[in-house]
């Protein structure tokens, strides 16, 4: 006896189905089903995952969906062929696009009109058979409509069957068994109940009959089905399954052709574009090795027919360049000679050809993958261009499946079980993303929940099984699908949260499985900052200056970076990077590539950082086990740093095949969402040990893989980022005013708040001028006149001020500078709140009045009714007492986040509490291990997950920043000070890392021994950012 | 005029049920800590922190969501109590009571004496209280925010020292005062810090810049502008209590506190212009036990002496199991002093409305309160959890159950289930011999199974239910337990 399950919900029917699509397919295959249909509620979001499982197995997958119509009918639609599949996609799209995100609406009328090929199963509710209903709707579906019957040991099942049978006879409709499956195995029932509770926002114990009454909606062995259903109903399932022959791989995806001029051949055209570009890149002639590489790449592209992909990316990049939008490609295929010639990327293959080992793989049928970063403020222009050029019918954004993580799973399961909110908070608190479910048990104990109790055990089981469940679909940050066929025939679309944005129901992994083209159109703040800085440099020079004009290999730039003078420099400005820079001493471009890649969870968790540093500093000889390893690891001194190297190592040292390596790469990318990676552990470690490698090294390599999973960082990305890092560092070194101006005008981005950037600018000799209604624009700008341009702060710093208010002010200023507070308020029609934003920010300081008095005078004009004649304001002669310097500083921080007056620490320096404190700049002159005290404003607190409980605190004083290390035991003792302190005094021991490189700056830390907090002296809302 | 303001700055915390002094408690509002216990403070928890920060500072911290309703109840109780000292009492949200004292001074001989009494009462109830006196209600209200020592405001004779009051007002930090956030921001930005600085500025100039409402407040403060307020209105039910340290062990000792509680009730009834129909005396004993004595009253007006006599008669018949720690009095059923208008002809419905409660009263008198319960449907999968017995409730008696909402979707998912009217508790084991089931006779299965599998969160219950015919013709409901495979009889169909 054969059986096909035709009604089966996966967990992509969010908060209803309690099994992954793959689990359902696998179970159906194990039970010997002939086919299984995944019929999620108005969705095809789970079918690709199901298909991935089905093609590994001997079972047919049927695509379908179920719908609850407005008329109260519940119908299951199955796609027998390609036309029906397109029809189903269109039906889902139209039902969803006319509803809010996550909802749908479908009427019988719409269905009758749009459903001409799909097979329909109707499992009527008992009442629907009793009530006299209009059955005329059955007509159009003649020959493809079945009455569905499911036997779940519900009450009155015999009666229901008799009624159904009578109805079927009367209307000459066939009957079929359909399971209404919600889970692949019975034991998921508690999870299914929890999902119901989450869906209706209640607890399982109060849901009563709103829960499914028993646990029968799972995939059953065929012999059990035979006991429950008449044989004819089971046979009918196979007849239906045999009518369905559509398979997802029939979706013959084709690249769009818009980027190719009419009548041109793609291969020839790409070749021409490439060599045209090469001429520009190497005006003196293309070096022979590069020419060879171009030929190799073009041959491969032609062989795999990827021309349209490169042409499309080229077309988008070309548009951006014409618009003056800075952009840069990255990703494996981006760092090819072809992409360099097409100006998609700037990584010169001549500069470092080692990078191109991993291009598109011939064996793996892997699609090329290029991500393009654009200026974050102008990405929307590019997106609109894509919609214009390819049309909304052919271009769409891919989805991101938002899944349950540990924290959200704990929160939702806890609520569903009715646990105390306070308790749930306690449990999720300080729960970092790298925490594993294993830690949960321990955490539950520390949360004082008796682990022996049923609830606790249920809780853990439920949390672990809920993890990885999809929660909803969201918009991908910028993944575009562009296709020759209308997207609507390939995959359903639905509304995203953002107005006017639609997404398809598949995510990037699904697209990759089906071999569809995806281009990531990403936003990068640093590109905006660079473009602005380049414009200012052009202004300063009086001639255009572009990214290509920045000279490579500038020793002064590398020297600056080696001093850890990197505030604001792309990718190397964090505290951790700053302590690494003096140790690594970057001198070449490739050093930067490593520098960027090394401070990542991968190399850190793999324990590769210190071995690399020792070799780099010459403390340890560089050696290789054999030549094969040398080939993989030579560029990183024998230590694996990059994700590619780790995968290559698995192939070279543990005999992974190409296909296995590819699976490994996928497993790494999904680490944290599932445990697929763990399956490779034994193979890796055993394989390496068998080949004579150290087991400990193999274990470290595996830890590194897990680290990459959390934050994958391939070499190609690092190389593209290194280019931007170098460019921003060069600008900072040679044009600091232009650099900071560009950066400040592109905020928010990066690691630092305006106050810290401005402090750094001042330390680099940039004259910073206060914001002023007579001189400032909305943006920060440069003022010329002195030997070096001065940075005039913009009105954007005034908290609460809107851009159009500032623009109106600037327009009015064209007619003459403002002469008094009254002149200002009379001439610029701003509302009270907007005007006060300016006064509070002390932008009226130019009138030689203090801020209180300015407000007093301006406020006098404000309460006058609009209808009263604008008579001269009666002038009272009251003079308010002015603020002290400290009060001024306090107001500056509060209303602009920045103060150009003396640093608060400077004002407090003579306070008895700080008698014994050194300034940040004095620390360098102290001996290693000497006792020191320092005090300053807390600008950053950071507890990296990779640094075993160490907390780093950055203190800022009038001379600079100092880094404080707080060990775990001290954190307990000074918890309050650390968590709430804004002004801290630290007594501790100076730690100066000896640096063997000649001329290198030492890395200085203060290891805290005692912490005291002096917020009371301060009461300033300093912009401190806390990172976890 | 002499106004006293009593302010309970720690009301959100102190209105909570008492807990040990060592408990680390924080009252939170919207995930922000707004008040902390001494222990929590010791751990570094302070007002304004997020509850997350607070919890990470103090691992044993218990966060309680602020309960404004409870605060208001407590405040109303205090306002009611204040009536014994003054005929004019105002509630000032969220945490103060203002009362006029000049007219009651003679009654209590002098201010110092009255004040001592007041403060003692708060101390007994373990309530933190701030207070201030002044010549206007607003001045008393604002001054109480800084809780100045009373001796600085009045002299030994209990006369208000105007100059001292003005000085204290002038020194008030503006940030304490209940101005809108906008006004506070503006005052801050003008560099104004104390009320004195504000008062020194010409009123016109201020009005011009800060709007008229601040100026009006300043005038009310000085009594230069009337300050009309609506007097305090008591809560819809009455409840008051007395606690006895060490406990009272004889009923006779209860006479005095009972009299005092009835006094409070009398004040309450006067305020509300109504008459109570019941008295509920709740005892809490030192050994942790509780008891309640209820009296139904059918009086036409409240007479304290009569009520006390009745009460003591009942108390005398009580055997106290242990010393009484708390005695409280509550009343829930009130009649307006004037009867509501009725229709000219009583309809059947209104007669029915009158009769049902009367019947219920009679039945309860005859059979005892516990003998009568009311059934309520509970939505649950397990049949034995499908109902609940609750004390009878008059309102529910009169209400007809609302018709079931019947949308097509809900009808489809919730068909009415066939359930027997009579359930056995506990289910009776069924004897099985071969294929035949016996329970005081043989049983024949007719229909089933209907499978239930639920309640895993306590103890999973998986049962296959069948309808069976007993040899005597009754229709029975039986099930087979999914785990033990044993058969049980669970009920009979009517």
């Amino acid at each position: 006896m054969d059986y096909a399950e035709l009604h089966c919900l996966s967990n992509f029917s969010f908060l209803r189905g309690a099994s992954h699509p793959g689990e359902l397919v696998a179970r159906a295959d194990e039970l010997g089903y002939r086919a299984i249909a995944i019929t999620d509620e108005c969705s095809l979001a789970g079918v690709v995952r199901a298909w991935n499982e089905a093609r590994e197995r001997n079972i047919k997958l049927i695509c379908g969906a179920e719908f609850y119509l407005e008329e109260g009918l519940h119908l299951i639609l199955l796609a027998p062929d390609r036309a029906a599949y397109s029809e189903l996609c269109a039906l889902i799209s139209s039902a969803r696009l006319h509803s809010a995100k996550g909802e749908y609406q479908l009427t019988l009328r719409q269905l009758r009109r749009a459903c001409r090929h799909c097979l329909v199963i109707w499992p009527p509710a008992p009442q629907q058979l009793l009530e006299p209903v209009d059955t005329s709707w059955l007509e159009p579906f003649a020959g493809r409509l079945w009455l569905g019957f499911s036997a779940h040991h519900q009450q009155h099942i015999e009666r229901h069957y008799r009624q159904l049978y009578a109805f079927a006879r009367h209307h000459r409709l066939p009957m079929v068994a359909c399971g209404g499956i919600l889970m692949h195995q019975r034991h998921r029932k508690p999870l299914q109940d929890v999902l119901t509770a989450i869906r209706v926002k209640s607890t399982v114990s109060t849901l009563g009959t709103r829960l499914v009454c028993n646990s029968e909606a799972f995939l059953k062995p065929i012999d059990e089905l035979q006991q429950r259903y008449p044989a004819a109903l089971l046979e009918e399932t196979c007849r239906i399954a045999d009518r369905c022959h559509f398979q997802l791989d029939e979706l013959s995806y084709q690249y769009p052709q818009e980027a190719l001029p009419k009548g041109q051949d793609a291969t020839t055209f790409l070749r021409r574009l490439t060599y045209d570009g090469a001429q520009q890149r190497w005006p003196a002639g293309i070096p022979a090795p590069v020419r060879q590489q171009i030929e190799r790449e073009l041959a491969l592209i032609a062989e795999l027919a990827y021309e349209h992909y490169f042409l499309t990316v080229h077309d988008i990049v070309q548009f951006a360049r014409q618009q003056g939008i800075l952009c840069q490609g990255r990703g494996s295929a981006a760092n090819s000679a072809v992409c360099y010639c097409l100006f998609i990327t700037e990584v010169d293959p001549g500069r470092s050809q080692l990078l191109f080992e991993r291009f598109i793989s011939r064996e793996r049928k892997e699609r090329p993958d290029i991500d393009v970063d654009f200026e974050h403020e102008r990405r929307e222009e590019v997106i609109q261009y894509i919609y214009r050029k390819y049309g909304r019918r052919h271009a769409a954004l891919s989805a991101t499946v938002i899944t349950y993580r540990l924290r959200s799973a704990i929160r939702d399961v806890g609520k569903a079980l009715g646990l105390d909110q306070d308790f749930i908070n306690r449990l999720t608190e300080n729960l970092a993303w790298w925490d594993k479910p294993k830690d949960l048990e321990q955490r539950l104990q520390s949360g004082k929940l008796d682990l022996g109790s049923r609830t606790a055990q249920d809780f853990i089981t439920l949390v672990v099984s809920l993890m990885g469940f999809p929660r909803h679909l969201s918009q991908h940050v910028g993944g575009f699908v562009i296709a020759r066929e209308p997207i609507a025939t390939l995959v359903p679309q639905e509304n995203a949260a953002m107005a006017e944005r639609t997404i398809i129901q598949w995510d990037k992994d699904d697209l990759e499985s089906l071999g569809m083209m995806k281009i990531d159109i990403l936003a990068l703040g640093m590109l905006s900052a660079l473009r602005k800085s380049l414009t200012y440099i052009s202004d300063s020079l009086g001639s255009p200056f572009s990214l290509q004009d920045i000279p490579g290999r500038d020793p002064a730039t590398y020297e600056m970076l080696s001093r850890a003078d990197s505030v604001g420099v792309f990718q190397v400005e964090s505290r951790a990077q700053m302590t690494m820079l003096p140790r690594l001493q970057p001198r070449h471009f490739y050093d930067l590539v490593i520098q960027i890649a090394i401070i990542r969870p991968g190399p850190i968790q793999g324990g590769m950082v210190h071995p690399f540093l020792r070799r780099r500093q010459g403390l340890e000889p560089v050696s290789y086990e054999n030549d094969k390893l040398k080939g993989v690891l030579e560029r990183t001194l024998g230590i694996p740093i990059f994700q590619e190297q780790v995968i290559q190592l698995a192939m070279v040292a543990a005999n992974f095949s190409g296909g296995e390596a590819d699976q490994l790469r996928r497993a790494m990318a999904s680490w944290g969402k599932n445990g697929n990676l763990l399956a490779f552990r034994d193979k890796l470690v055993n394989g390496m040990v068998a080949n004579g490698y150290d087991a400990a090294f193999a274990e470290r390599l595996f830890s590194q893989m897990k680290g990459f999973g959390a934050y994958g960082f391939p070499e190609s990305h690092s190389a593209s980022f290194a280019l931007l890092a170098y460019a921003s560092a060069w600008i900072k070194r040679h044009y600091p005013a232009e650099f900071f101006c560009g950066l400040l005008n592109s905020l928010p981005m990066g690691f630092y708040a305006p106050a810290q950037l401005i402090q750094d600018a001042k330390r680099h000799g940039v004259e910073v001028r206060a914001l002023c209604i007579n001189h400032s624009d909305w943006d920060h700008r440069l003022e010329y006149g002195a030997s070096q341009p001065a940075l005039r702060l913009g009105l954007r710093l005034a908290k609460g001020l809107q851009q159009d208010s500032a623009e109106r002010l600037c327009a009015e200023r064209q007619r003459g500078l403002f002469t008094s507070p009254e002149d200002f308020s009379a001439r610029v029609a701003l509302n009270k709140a907007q005007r006060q934003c300016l006064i509070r920010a002390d932008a009226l300081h130019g009138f030689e009045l203090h801020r209180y008095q300015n407000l007093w005078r301006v406020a006098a004009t404000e309460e006058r009714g609009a209808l009263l004649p604008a008579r001269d304001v009666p002038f009272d002669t009251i003079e308010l007492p002015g603020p002290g310097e400290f009060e001024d500083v306090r107001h500056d921080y509060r209303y602009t986040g920045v103060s150009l007056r003396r640093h608060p620490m400077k004002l407090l320096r003579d306070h008895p509490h700080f008698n014994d404190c050194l300034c940040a700049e004095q620390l360098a002159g102290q001996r290693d291990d000497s006792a020191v005290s320092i005090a300053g404003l807390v600008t950053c607190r950071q507890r990296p997950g990779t640094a075993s409980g160490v907390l780093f605190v950055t203190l800022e004083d009038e001379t600079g920043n100092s880094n404080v290390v707080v060990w775990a035991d001290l954190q307990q003792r000074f918890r309050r000070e650390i968590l709430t302190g804004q002004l801290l005094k630290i007594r501790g021991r100076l730690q100066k890392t000896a640096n063997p490189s000649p001329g290198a700056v030492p890395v200085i830390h203060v290891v805290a021994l005692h912490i005291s907090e002096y917020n009371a002296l301060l009461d300033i809302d300093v912009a401190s950012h806390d990172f976890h | 005029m002499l106004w006293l303001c009593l302010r309970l700055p720690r009301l959100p915390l102190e209105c909570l049920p008492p807990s040990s002094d060592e408990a680390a408690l924080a009252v939170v509002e919207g995930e922000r800590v707004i008040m902390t216990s001494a222990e929590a403070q010791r751990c570094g928890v302070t007002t304004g922190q997020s509850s997350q920060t607070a919890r990470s500072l103090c691992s044993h911290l218990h966060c309680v969501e602020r309960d404004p309703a409870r605060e208001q109840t407590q405040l109303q109780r205090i306002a009611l109590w204040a009536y014994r000292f003054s005929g004019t009492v105002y509630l000032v949200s969220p945490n103060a009571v203002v009362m006029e004292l000049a007219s009651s001074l003679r009654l209590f001989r002098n201010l110092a004496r009255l004040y001592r009494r007041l403060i003692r009462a708060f101390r007994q109830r373990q309530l933190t209280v701030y207070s201030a006196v002044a010549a206007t209600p607003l001045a008393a209200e604002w001054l109480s925010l800084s809780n100045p020592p009373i001796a600085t405001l009045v002299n030994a004779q209990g006369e208000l020292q105007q100059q001292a009051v003005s000085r204290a007002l002038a020194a008030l930090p503006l940030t304490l005062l209940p101005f809108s956030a906008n006004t506070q921001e503006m005052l801050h930005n003008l560099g104004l810090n104390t009320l004195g600085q504000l008062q020194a500025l010409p009123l016109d100039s201020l009005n011009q810049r800060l709007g008229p409402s601040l100026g009006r407040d300043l005038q009310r403060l000085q009594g230069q502008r009337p300050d009309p307020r609506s007097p305090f209105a008591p809560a819809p039910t009455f409840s008051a209590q007395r606690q006895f340290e060490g406990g009272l062990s004889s009923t006779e000792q209860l006479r005095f506190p009972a009299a005092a509680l009835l006094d409070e009730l009398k004040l309450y009834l006067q305020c509300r212009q109504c008459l109570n129909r019941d008295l509920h005396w709740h005892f809490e004993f030192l050994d942790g036990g509780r008891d309640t004595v209820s009296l139904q009253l059918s009086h036409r007006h409240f007479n304290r002496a009569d009520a006390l006599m009745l009460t003591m008669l009942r108390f005398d018949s009580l055997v106290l199991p242990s010393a009484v720690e708390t005695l409280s009095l509550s009343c829930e059923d009130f009649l307006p002093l004037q009867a509501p208008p009725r229709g000219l002809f009583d309809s059947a419905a209104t007669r029915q409305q009158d009769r049902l409660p009367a019947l219920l009263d009679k039945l309860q008198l005859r059979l005892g309160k516990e003998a009568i319960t009311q059934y309520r449907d509970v939505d649950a999968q397990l049949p034995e959890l499908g109902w609940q017995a609750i004390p009878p409730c008059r309102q529910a008696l009169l209400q007809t159950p609302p018709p079931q909402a019947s949308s097509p979707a809900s009808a489809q998912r919730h068909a009415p289930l066939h359930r027997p009217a009579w359930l056995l508790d506990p289910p009776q084991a069924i004897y099985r011999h071969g294929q035949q089931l016996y329970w005081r006779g043989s049983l024949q299965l007719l229909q089933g199974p209907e499978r239930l599998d639920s309640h895993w969160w306590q103890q999973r219950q998986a049962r296959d239910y069948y309808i069976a015919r007993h040899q005597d013709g009754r229709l029975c409901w039986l099930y087979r337990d999914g785990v033990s495979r044993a058969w049980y009889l669970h009920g009979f169909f009517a």
Side-chain angles (χ1 to χ4, degrees), chain A residues 209 215 426 856 895 975, chain B residues 56 59 61 185 209 379 453:
Chain A
T209 50
S215 53
R426 225 177 262 250
W856 182 253
Y895 297 116
R975 235 176 139 70
Chain B
S56 56
S59 58
L61 185 71
E185 178 92 30
R209 291 167 173 88
D379 185 28
D453 181 357

Side-chain angles (χ1 to χ4, degrees), chain A residues 379-436:
Chain A
R379 181 180 69 138
E380 193 57 30
E381 295 174 38
V382 179
I383 291 180
Q384 291 308 324
Y385 168 75
I386 294 175
Y387 279 139
R388 259 198 327 275
K389 169 119 187 187
Y390 299 91
R392 282 187 180 262
R393 279 161 56 81
H394 299 269
L397 269 176
S398 72
T400 298
V401 181
I402 306 296
T403 56
Y404 272 103
R405 295 312 197 72
L406 185 55
R407 185 189 298 265
S408 45
I410 288 178
R411 198 176 304 125
D412 278 9
V413 172
K415 272 191 213 159
L417 292 183
L419 299 187
D420 180 31
Q421 186 61 46
D422 204 45
F423 174 80
I424 300 171
N425 288 345
R426 225 177 262 250
L427 210 56
T428 52
E429 197 152 277
N430 300 326
L431 196 73
W433 51 261
W434 58 85
D435 274 344
K436 290 156 209 66

